[in-house]
Protein backbone atom coordinates (compact mmCIF):
# COMPACT_ATOMS: atom_id res chain seq x y z
CA UNK A 1 0.00 0.00 0.00
CA UNK A 2 2.72 2.59 0.80
CA UNK A 3 4.39 1.74 -2.53
CA UNK A 4 1.17 2.52 -4.38
CA UNK A 5 0.88 5.85 -2.57
CA UNK A 6 4.40 6.79 -3.65
CA UNK A 7 3.42 6.26 -7.30
CA UNK A 8 -0.07 7.77 -7.19
CA UNK A 9 0.84 11.01 -5.39
CA UNK A 10 3.40 12.13 -8.05
CA UNK A 11 0.85 11.36 -10.77
CA UNK A 12 -1.75 13.52 -9.02
CA UNK A 13 0.78 16.33 -8.61
CA UNK A 14 1.75 16.05 -12.29
CA UNK A 15 -1.92 16.27 -13.29
CA UNK A 16 -2.48 19.34 -11.08
CA UNK A 17 0.61 21.02 -12.52
CA UNK A 18 -0.67 20.34 -16.05
CA UNK A 19 -4.07 21.84 -15.23
CA UNK A 20 -2.43 24.95 -13.79
CA UNK A 21 -0.34 25.36 -16.95
CA UNK A 22 -3.48 25.15 -19.10
CA UNK A 23 -5.25 27.73 -16.93
CA UNK A 24 -2.26 30.06 -17.14
CA UNK A 25 -2.07 29.62 -20.91
CA UNK A 26 -5.75 30.49 -21.38
CA UNK A 27 -5.39 33.43 -18.99
CA UNK A 28 -2.48 34.81 -21.04
CA UNK A 29 -4.37 34.20 -24.27
CA UNK A 30 -7.32 36.24 -23.06
CA UNK A 31 -5.03 38.95 -21.71
CA UNK A 32 -3.55 39.36 -25.20
CA UNK A 33 -6.88 39.90 -26.97
CA UNK A 34 -7.36 43.52 -28.09
CA UNK A 35 -10.84 45.03 -28.23
CA UNK A 36 -11.65 46.55 -31.63
CA UNK A 37 -14.78 48.67 -31.57
CA UNK A 38 -16.91 48.12 -34.67
CA UNK A 39 -17.81 50.71 -37.25
CA UNK A 40 -18.09 51.51 -40.95
CA UNK A 41 -15.11 52.07 -43.23
CA UNK A 42 -14.17 52.26 -46.90
CA UNK A 43 -12.44 48.94 -47.56
CA UNK A 44 -9.89 48.64 -50.36
CA UNK A 45 -7.16 50.71 -51.95
CA UNK A 46 -8.20 54.17 -50.78
CA UNK A 47 -5.05 55.63 -52.39
CA UNK A 48 -6.84 55.68 -55.74
CA UNK A 49 -9.38 58.08 -54.25
CA UNK A 50 -6.77 60.21 -52.46
CA UNK A 51 -3.81 60.20 -54.85
CA UNK A 52 -5.16 58.92 -58.15
CA UNK A 53 -2.91 55.86 -58.07
CA UNK A 54 -2.84 52.50 -56.28
CA UNK A 55 -0.86 51.96 -53.07
CA UNK A 56 -1.27 48.18 -53.06
CA UNK A 57 0.28 45.92 -55.67
CA UNK A 58 -2.17 45.55 -58.55
CA UNK A 59 -2.85 41.78 -58.28
CA UNK A 60 -5.58 42.02 -60.96
CA UNK A 61 -7.11 45.01 -59.15
CA UNK A 62 -8.09 42.68 -56.29
CA UNK A 63 -8.09 45.61 -53.84
CA UNK A 64 -10.65 47.51 -55.91
CA UNK A 65 -13.26 48.88 -55.98
CA UNK A 66 -13.25 50.68 -52.65
CA UNK A 67 -16.53 49.82 -50.94
CA UNK A 68 -18.28 50.52 -47.66
CA UNK A 69 -18.21 47.80 -45.00
CA UNK A 70 -19.76 47.82 -41.52
CA UNK A 71 -18.36 45.53 -38.83
CA UNK A 72 -19.55 44.55 -35.38
CA UNK A 73 -17.06 44.93 -32.55
CA UNK A 74 -14.62 42.07 -32.01
CA UNK A 75 -11.38 41.13 -30.25
CA UNK A 76 -8.15 40.44 -32.12
CA UNK A 77 -5.02 38.73 -30.84
CA UNK A 78 -2.23 41.14 -30.01
CA UNK A 79 0.33 38.69 -31.42
CA UNK A 80 0.48 36.06 -34.11
CA UNK A 81 0.15 32.53 -32.68
CA UNK A 82 3.57 31.23 -31.64
CA UNK A 83 4.96 27.70 -31.67
CA UNK A 84 4.84 27.65 -27.88
CA UNK A 85 1.12 28.44 -27.97
CA UNK A 86 0.45 25.95 -30.74
CA UNK A 87 2.24 23.26 -28.71
CA UNK A 88 -0.43 23.65 -26.02
CA UNK A 89 -3.02 22.70 -28.62
CA UNK A 90 -1.17 19.68 -30.01
CA UNK A 91 -0.32 18.43 -26.50
CA UNK A 92 -3.92 18.79 -25.34
CA UNK A 93 -5.28 17.03 -28.43
CA UNK A 94 -2.53 14.36 -28.57
CA UNK A 95 -1.51 15.53 -32.04
CA UNK A 96 2.00 15.55 -33.53
CA UNK A 97 3.97 18.73 -32.97
CA UNK A 98 3.89 21.29 -35.73
CA UNK A 99 6.93 20.80 -37.93
CA UNK A 100 9.16 22.97 -40.06
CA UNK A 101 10.50 21.50 -43.29
CA UNK A 102 13.67 19.62 -42.30
CA UNK A 103 15.87 21.39 -44.84
CA UNK A 104 14.99 24.74 -43.31
CA UNK A 105 15.10 23.48 -39.74
CA UNK A 106 18.65 22.14 -40.15
CA UNK A 107 19.87 25.43 -41.59
CA UNK A 108 17.91 27.74 -39.30
CA UNK A 109 16.80 25.90 -36.11
CA UNK A 110 15.84 29.19 -34.43
CA UNK A 111 12.84 29.43 -36.75
CA UNK A 112 11.10 26.83 -34.52
CA UNK A 113 11.71 28.96 -31.44
CA UNK A 114 8.96 29.19 -28.83
CA UNK A 115 8.28 32.89 -29.52
CA UNK A 116 8.40 32.66 -33.33
CA UNK A 117 5.12 32.74 -35.30
CA UNK A 118 3.84 29.27 -36.13
CA UNK A 119 3.40 28.26 -39.76
CA UNK A 120 0.52 25.86 -40.39
CA UNK A 121 -1.83 25.28 -43.28
CA UNK A 122 -5.25 26.93 -43.18
CA UNK A 123 -7.12 24.01 -41.61
CA UNK A 124 -4.59 23.50 -38.81
CA UNK A 125 -4.70 27.24 -38.11
CA UNK A 126 -8.49 27.18 -38.03
CA UNK A 127 -8.45 24.14 -35.75
CA UNK A 128 -6.29 26.02 -33.24
CA UNK A 129 -8.74 28.94 -33.06
CA UNK A 130 -11.70 26.58 -32.77
CA UNK A 131 -9.91 24.67 -30.00
CA UNK A 132 -9.68 27.95 -28.09
CA UNK A 133 -13.40 28.38 -28.71
CA UNK A 134 -14.11 25.03 -27.05
CA UNK A 135 -11.79 25.76 -24.12
CA UNK A 136 -13.29 29.17 -23.39
CA UNK A 137 -16.87 28.81 -24.73
CA UNK A 138 -16.19 32.01 -26.70
CA UNK A 139 -16.53 32.44 -30.51
CA UNK A 140 -12.85 32.28 -31.46
CA UNK A 141 -12.14 32.07 -35.19
CA UNK A 142 -9.71 33.16 -37.85
CA UNK A 143 -10.29 36.83 -38.73
CA UNK A 144 -12.17 37.79 -41.85
CA UNK A 145 -10.14 39.95 -44.19
CA UNK A 146 -12.53 42.83 -43.47
CA UNK A 147 -11.74 42.52 -39.75
CA UNK A 148 -8.01 42.31 -40.44
CA UNK A 149 -7.95 45.37 -42.70
CA UNK A 150 -10.17 47.36 -40.34
CA UNK A 151 -7.84 46.59 -37.42
CA UNK A 152 -4.65 47.16 -39.44
CA UNK A 153 -6.03 50.56 -40.47
CA UNK A 154 -6.78 51.54 -36.85
CA UNK A 155 -10.53 51.08 -37.17
CA UNK A 156 -10.70 51.91 -40.86
CA UNK A 157 -8.62 55.06 -41.07
CA UNK A 158 -6.76 55.82 -44.29
CA UNK A 159 -3.63 54.09 -42.99
CA UNK A 160 -1.28 52.57 -45.54
CA UNK A 161 0.84 50.41 -43.21
CA UNK A 162 -0.20 48.57 -40.06
CA UNK A 163 2.63 50.00 -37.97
CA UNK A 164 2.80 52.34 -35.00
CA UNK A 165 2.72 55.48 -37.18
CA UNK A 166 1.23 54.30 -40.48
CA UNK A 167 4.64 54.36 -42.19
CA UNK A 168 6.94 51.51 -43.21
CA UNK A 169 10.30 52.42 -41.65
CA UNK A 170 12.93 49.77 -42.24
CA UNK A 171 14.96 49.04 -39.12
CA UNK A 172 12.63 51.12 -36.94
CA UNK A 173 9.11 49.70 -36.99
CA UNK A 174 9.80 46.79 -39.36
CA UNK A 175 13.05 44.82 -39.54
CA UNK A 176 15.81 45.24 -42.07
CA UNK A 177 17.26 42.17 -43.76
CA UNK A 178 20.24 42.41 -41.42
CA UNK A 179 17.99 42.41 -38.36
CA UNK A 180 16.04 39.41 -39.62
CA UNK A 181 19.30 37.55 -40.20
CA UNK A 182 20.34 38.41 -36.68
CA UNK A 183 17.23 36.73 -35.26
CA UNK A 184 17.15 33.46 -37.19
CA UNK A 185 20.25 33.40 -39.37
CA UNK A 186 18.10 33.84 -42.47
CA UNK A 187 17.95 37.25 -44.13
CA UNK A 188 14.25 37.05 -45.07
CA UNK A 189 12.75 34.91 -42.35
CA UNK A 190 10.29 35.16 -39.50
CA UNK A 191 11.36 36.64 -36.18
CA UNK A 192 10.08 36.60 -32.57
CA UNK A 193 6.70 38.26 -32.12
CA UNK A 194 6.44 41.71 -30.59
CA UNK A 195 9.96 42.89 -31.43
CA UNK A 196 8.81 46.06 -33.16
CA UNK A 197 6.29 48.73 -32.07
CA UNK A 198 2.61 47.86 -32.01
CA UNK A 199 -0.07 49.67 -33.97
CA UNK A 200 -2.10 52.38 -32.19
CA UNK A 201 -4.63 49.67 -31.31
CA UNK A 202 -1.87 47.65 -29.63
CA UNK A 203 -1.55 44.92 -32.29
CA UNK A 204 1.87 43.71 -33.43
CA UNK A 205 3.37 42.59 -36.74
CA UNK A 206 0.63 43.64 -39.15
CA UNK A 207 3.18 44.96 -41.66
CA UNK A 208 5.70 42.14 -41.37
CA UNK A 209 6.62 38.73 -39.93
CA UNK A 210 4.87 36.79 -42.68
CA UNK A 211 1.43 36.78 -44.25
CA UNK A 212 -1.60 35.69 -42.24
CA UNK A 213 -4.43 33.30 -43.04
CA UNK A 214 -7.91 34.79 -43.18
CA UNK A 215 -11.23 32.99 -42.75
CA UNK A 216 -12.36 33.97 -46.27
CA UNK A 217 -12.03 32.22 -49.60
CA UNK A 218 -10.14 34.40 -52.08
CA UNK A 219 -11.61 35.96 -55.19
CA UNK A 220 -9.95 38.86 -57.00
CA UNK A 221 -13.38 40.08 -58.11
CA UNK A 222 -15.16 39.76 -54.75
CA UNK A 223 -15.05 43.49 -53.98
CA UNK A 224 -17.38 44.09 -56.90
CA UNK A 225 -20.25 42.49 -54.96
CA UNK A 226 -19.07 42.28 -51.35
CA UNK A 227 -21.80 42.40 -48.68
CA UNK A 228 -21.93 45.65 -46.74
CA UNK A 229 -22.17 44.10 -43.25
CA UNK A 230 -19.75 41.63 -41.60
CA UNK A 231 -18.56 40.17 -44.90
CA UNK A 232 -17.07 36.68 -44.66
CA UNK A 233 -16.02 36.33 -48.30
CA UNK A 234 -17.27 34.05 -51.10
CA UNK A 235 -19.09 30.82 -50.25
CA UNK A 236 -16.62 28.68 -52.22
CA UNK A 237 -13.14 28.95 -53.63
CA UNK A 238 -9.80 27.30 -54.33
CA UNK A 239 -7.52 29.58 -52.32
CA UNK A 240 -7.82 31.20 -48.90
CA UNK A 241 -7.07 34.88 -48.40
CA UNK A 242 -3.66 35.97 -47.13
CA UNK A 243 -3.03 39.42 -45.64
CA UNK A 244 0.21 41.10 -44.68
CA UNK A 245 3.68 41.23 -46.20
CA UNK A 246 5.15 38.18 -47.98
CA UNK A 247 8.61 37.23 -46.76
CA UNK A 248 11.55 38.15 -48.92
CA UNK A 249 9.88 41.05 -50.69
CA UNK A 250 12.18 43.92 -51.49
CA UNK A 251 11.78 46.72 -49.01
CA UNK A 252 12.32 50.42 -48.85
CA UNK A 253 10.75 53.01 -46.58
CA UNK A 254 7.08 53.52 -47.59
CA UNK A 255 7.68 51.78 -50.91
CA UNK A 256 6.59 48.19 -50.31
CA UNK A 257 3.18 47.69 -51.99
CA UNK A 258 2.69 44.18 -50.55
CA UNK A 259 3.10 45.43 -46.97
CA UNK A 260 0.14 47.79 -47.24
CA UNK A 261 -3.01 47.33 -45.20
CA UNK A 262 -5.13 46.78 -48.31
CA UNK A 263 -2.98 44.28 -50.26
CA UNK A 264 -4.70 40.92 -50.65
CA UNK A 265 -3.86 37.66 -52.29
CA UNK A 266 -4.72 33.96 -52.02
CA UNK A 267 -2.98 30.65 -51.36
CA UNK A 268 -3.83 26.97 -51.71
CA UNK A 269 -5.07 26.27 -48.15
CA UNK A 270 -3.37 22.94 -47.51
CA UNK A 271 0.11 24.22 -48.44
CA UNK A 272 0.68 21.05 -50.40
CA UNK A 273 3.97 20.51 -52.18
CA UNK A 274 3.02 19.05 -55.56
CA UNK A 275 5.36 16.56 -57.25
CA UNK A 276 7.05 17.72 -60.45
CA UNK A 277 4.94 15.40 -62.63
CA UNK A 278 1.74 16.91 -61.22
CA UNK A 279 2.97 20.45 -61.87
CA UNK A 280 3.92 19.48 -65.43
CA UNK A 281 0.47 17.95 -65.90
CA UNK A 282 -1.14 21.31 -65.08
CA UNK A 283 1.54 23.49 -66.72
CA UNK A 284 2.69 24.75 -63.33
CA UNK A 285 -0.75 26.12 -62.45
CA UNK A 286 -1.08 25.55 -58.68
CA UNK A 287 -4.75 26.54 -58.73
CA UNK A 288 -5.63 23.89 -61.31
CA UNK A 289 -3.54 21.28 -59.53
CA UNK A 290 -5.23 22.07 -56.21
CA UNK A 291 -8.68 21.86 -57.75
CA UNK A 292 -8.09 18.66 -59.70
CA UNK A 293 -5.91 16.51 -57.46
CA UNK A 294 -7.55 14.32 -54.78
CA UNK A 295 -8.16 16.03 -51.46
CA UNK A 296 -6.06 14.74 -48.58
CA UNK A 297 -6.00 15.07 -44.80
CA UNK A 298 -4.48 18.45 -43.80
CA UNK A 299 -2.67 16.71 -40.93
CA UNK A 300 -1.08 14.31 -43.42
CA UNK A 301 0.23 17.32 -45.32
CA UNK A 302 1.64 18.67 -42.05
CA UNK A 303 3.81 15.57 -41.64
CA UNK A 304 6.17 16.89 -44.32
CA UNK A 305 6.72 20.11 -42.37
CA UNK A 306 6.07 23.63 -43.61
CA UNK A 307 8.33 26.31 -45.03
CA UNK A 308 8.13 28.95 -42.26
CA UNK A 309 6.41 31.89 -43.90
CA UNK A 310 2.61 31.93 -43.48
CA UNK A 311 1.31 32.80 -40.02
CA UNK A 312 -2.02 33.41 -38.30
CA UNK A 313 -3.80 34.95 -35.33
CA UNK A 314 -7.30 34.52 -33.92
CA UNK A 315 -10.23 36.81 -33.22
CA UNK A 316 -13.20 36.57 -30.86
CA UNK A 317 -16.44 37.47 -32.61
CA UNK A 318 -18.06 39.03 -29.57
CA UNK A 319 -18.81 42.62 -28.67
CA UNK A 320 -18.07 42.04 -24.98
CA UNK A 321 -16.62 39.31 -22.81
CA UNK A 322 -17.96 37.59 -19.69
CA UNK A 323 -16.88 39.19 -16.43
CA UNK A 324 -14.33 36.47 -15.62
CA UNK A 325 -12.31 37.37 -18.73
CA UNK A 326 -12.16 41.12 -18.16
Amino acid sequence: MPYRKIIIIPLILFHIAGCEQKKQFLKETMKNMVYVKGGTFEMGDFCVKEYGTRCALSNNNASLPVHSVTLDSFYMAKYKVTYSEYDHFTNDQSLPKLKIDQTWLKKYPSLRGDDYPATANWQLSMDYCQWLAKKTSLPFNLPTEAQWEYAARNRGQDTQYGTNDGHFRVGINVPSYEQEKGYSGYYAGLYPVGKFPASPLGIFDMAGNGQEWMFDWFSDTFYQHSPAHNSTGPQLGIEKVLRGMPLGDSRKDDATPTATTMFRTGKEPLLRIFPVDVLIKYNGDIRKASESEPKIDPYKVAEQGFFPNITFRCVINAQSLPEKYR
Side-chain angles (χ1 to χ4, degrees):
M1 185 64 70
Y3 178 73
R4 289 184 63 191
K5 285 183 180 179
I6 290 172
I7 294 176
I8 292 171
I9 290 173
L11 287 174
I12 293 172
L13 292 175
F14 179 78
H15 177 72
I16 292 172
C19 289
E20 287 302 314
Q21 286 180 349
K22 289 177 184 177
K23 286 181 182 178
Q24 185 60 32
F25 162 71
L26 290 175
K27 183 178 179 180
E28 286 298 314
T29 297
M30 297 305 302
K31 178 182 173 183
N32 288 326
M33 299 304 294
V34 174
Y35 178 69
V36 183
K37 185 178 179 180
T40 300
F41 77 116
E42 296 300 304
M43 185 174 179
D45 197 339
F46 56 83
C47 290
V48 174
K49 173 188 67 179
E50 290 193 7
Y51 312 117
T53 185
R54 289 186 292 256
C55 284
L57 196 68
S58 172
N59 194 27
N60 293 328
N61 294 322
S63 299
L64 294 172
V66 175
H67 57 290
S68 183
V69 174
T70 300
L71 294 174
D72 295 337
S73 301
F74 59 96
Y75 293 79
M76 177 171 276
K78 185 183 297 185
Y79 306 107
K80 298 169 188 276
V81 173
T82 65
Y83 282 108
S84 175
E85 291 170 325
Y86 203 93
D87 287 346
H88 280 280
F89 164 57
T90 52
N91 289 339
D92 183 73
Q93 298 296 294
S94 300
L95 293 167
K97 274 196 170 187
L98 201 55
K99 291 167 57 179
I100 288 179
D101 175 85
Q102 283 300 307
T103 302
W104 284 92
L105 189 60
K106 286 178 182 178
K107 287 183 179 180
Y108 311 107
S110 295
L111 288 171
R112 184 54 171 84
D114 284 349
D115 56 351
Y116 279 67
T119 289
N121 59 32
W122 183 90
Q123 188 61 60
L124 271 65
S125 302
M126 181 67 145
D127 288 351
Y128 174 87
C129 296
Q130 292 186 334
W131 171 72
L132 287 179
K134 291 178 182 177
K135 291 295 179 182
T136 62
S137 298
L138 293 170
F140 274 89
N141 210 332
L142 287 174
T144 65
E145 62 171 330
Q147 289 174 324
W148 191 96
E149 183 172 324
Y150 181 73
R153 289 172 51 184
N154 305 315
R155 297 188 56 241
Q157 298 176 35
D158 288 353
T159 304
Q160 289 189 44
Y161 300 97
T163 59
N164 60 321
D165 62 3
H167 291 279
F168 191 86
R169 304 184 192 277
V170 177
I172 298 173
N173 57 17
V174 291
S176 64
Y177 287 132
E178 292 74 19
Q179 286 172 318
E180 287 184 345
K181 189 173 182 179
Y183 289 125
S184 66
Y186 181 49
Y187 75 95
L190 299 175
Y191 46 92
V193 300
K195 287 294 183 182
F196 292 85
S199 72
L201 290 182
I203 303 174
F204 291 84
D205 298 331
M206 299 198 85
N209 223 356
Q211 292 179 291
E212 299 181 33
W213 287 120
M214 300 293 106
F215 174 84
D216 318 47
W217 289 106
F218 176 74
S219 166
D220 56 18
T221 60
F222 183 67
Y223 281 12
Q224 297 173 20
H225 46 80
S226 174
H229 191 258
N230 290 335
S231 173
T232 55
Q235 292 298 309
L236 297 171
I238 299 169
E239 299 176 319
K240 286 291 184 177
V241 174
L242 290 177
R243 287 302 194 106
M245 182 182 178
L247 292 183
D249 273 21
S250 59
R251 63 195 65 184
K252 186 178 179 182
D253 289 359
D254 283 357
T256 309
T258 54
T260 54
T261 54
M262 69 288 283
F263 174 69
R264 58 193 298 264
T265 188
K267 187 80 172 180
E268 191 272 328
L270 288 178
L271 296 183
R272 287 182 285 181
I273 299 175
F274 292 100
V276 175
D277 60 329
V278 172
L279 292 177
I280 292 173
K281 179 180 177 181
Y282 297 103
N283 297 316
D285 191 323
I286 298 295
R287 285 193 182 193
K288 288 183 179 178
S290 301
E291 191 175 25
S292 303
E293 290 301 303
K295 304 301 181 187
I296 58 174
D297 185 337
Y299 285 86
K300 283 287 185 184
V301 176
E303 291 176 1
Q304 68 194 7
F306 299 112
F307 170 67
N309 62 343
I310 295 176
T311 61
F312 73 101
R313 72 180 83 217
C314 303
V315 296
I316 304 175
N317 291 311
Q319 298 201 43
S320 63
L321 297 180
E323 187 67 33
K324 66 177 179 177
Y325 291 119
R326 295 177 192 171

